[in-house]
Amino acid sequence: MVEIVSTQFTVNGDLYGNTQIPRNVSLHLYEASGHLFILPQWIEKRLMIPEYVDHHISELILYKIATETGYVPVADPPNWDKCMG
């Protein structure tokens, strides 16, 4: 994950959603070889800027959480629909 893009959404100026739960996140794109994907035009300009896309968390499944000592698998991924209230 690159960053948490938002935790809330706005409708007619009113904020909705829990501020502690991510709503949209940016994720890096990877090539089939496992390397970060960088657009060819960036490479030509010698700019090594990896590409990313934004996703709503409902499109993703949480499998692991990064910690200081490594990754912790998630035995029962959360149901984000219940958390979005």
Side-chain angles (χ1 to χ4, degrees):
M1 182 173 72
V2 179
E3 70 176 320
I4 296 173
V5 178
S6 67
T7 57
Q8 298 179 317
F9 63 100
T10 305
V11 177
N12 296 327
D14 294 325
L15 292 174
Y16 294 89
N18 186 327
T19 60
Q20 302 301 311
I21 299 172
R23 180 173 178 78
N24 294 340
V25 294
S26 292
L27 304 175
H28 278 301
L29 295 176
Y30 286 84
E31 298 176 2
S33 64
H35 294 96
L36 282 171
F37 177 74
I38 300 173
L39 288 173
Q41 53 265 45
W42 290 128
I43 294 172
E44 290 172 8
K45 295 179 181 180
R46 298 181 190 259
L47 297 172
M48 303 307 281
I49 303 171
E51 286 297 302
Y52 62 91
V53 293
D54 293 346
H55 289 278
H56 187 276
I57 59 167
S58 65
E59 298 177 278
L60 308 170
I61 297 173
L62 179 64
Y63 287 105
K64 295 180 184 176
I65 298 173
T67 67
E68 289 182 16
T69 58
Y71 289 97
V72 176
V74 177
D76 185 21
N79 181 345
W80 291 108
D81 291 334
K82 291 182 181 178
C83 297
M84 293 307 295

